[in-house]
Amino acid sequence: MGAMTGLRLLPWSDPDGKPCYLASDDGNSPLSRRADAIEAVQMSMGAELLRHARALLDAPTADARELRYLADRLCEALRDVLRVAESRGARLPSYGEGDGPGGHPAPGSAGGRRD
């Protein structure tokens, strides 16, 4: 990962449930690498849970207790994935209005139109 600026939202909370942040310009620090590894595990667990959810929802014998447990786990996975998305989105480079990557106009912007 390249140089970062600002705070990185970490994929865990403090004991009170408040978000934790890392202030570092080193995207390869031990804590940053640990956060990357945890994010990868969270994403993998979410994908596996989704496969399990589809199988359980397709099972005609699934009972309310199983479905409630599934819903709780899906909520946890969604919370984790949304946190990862927020963290990664906040670390994307920002472009000026009408600027895309490499200084080219963004697709669909006035600078990229031919009338």
Side-chain angles (χ1 to χ4, degrees), residues 25-98:
D25 288 333
D26 182 5
N28 199 30
S29 70
L31 187 56
S32 185
R33 288 193 313 269
R34 177 75 173 151
D36 290 342
I38 290 173
E39 286 180 353
V41 167
Q42 289 173 327
M43 300 290 284
S44 176
M45 288 174 63
E48 183 61 31
L49 181 60
L50 187 57
R51 283 188 290 278
H52 176 71
R54 178 50 36 210
L56 185 61
L57 291 171
D58 288 342
T61 58
D63 64 26
R65 182 181 47 86
E66 291 172 308
L67 294 172
R68 183 172 184 81
Y69 183 80
L70 173 64
D72 286 341
R73 300 299 73 79
L74 286 169
C75 287
E76 291 169 358
L78 180 58
R79 178 203 61 217
D80 291 344
V81 169
L82 289 173
R83 182 184 298 252
V84 170
E86 180 182 351
S87 176
R88 292 181 181 182
R91 290 180 278 146
L92 290 174
S94 60
Y95 300 106
E97 188 175 320

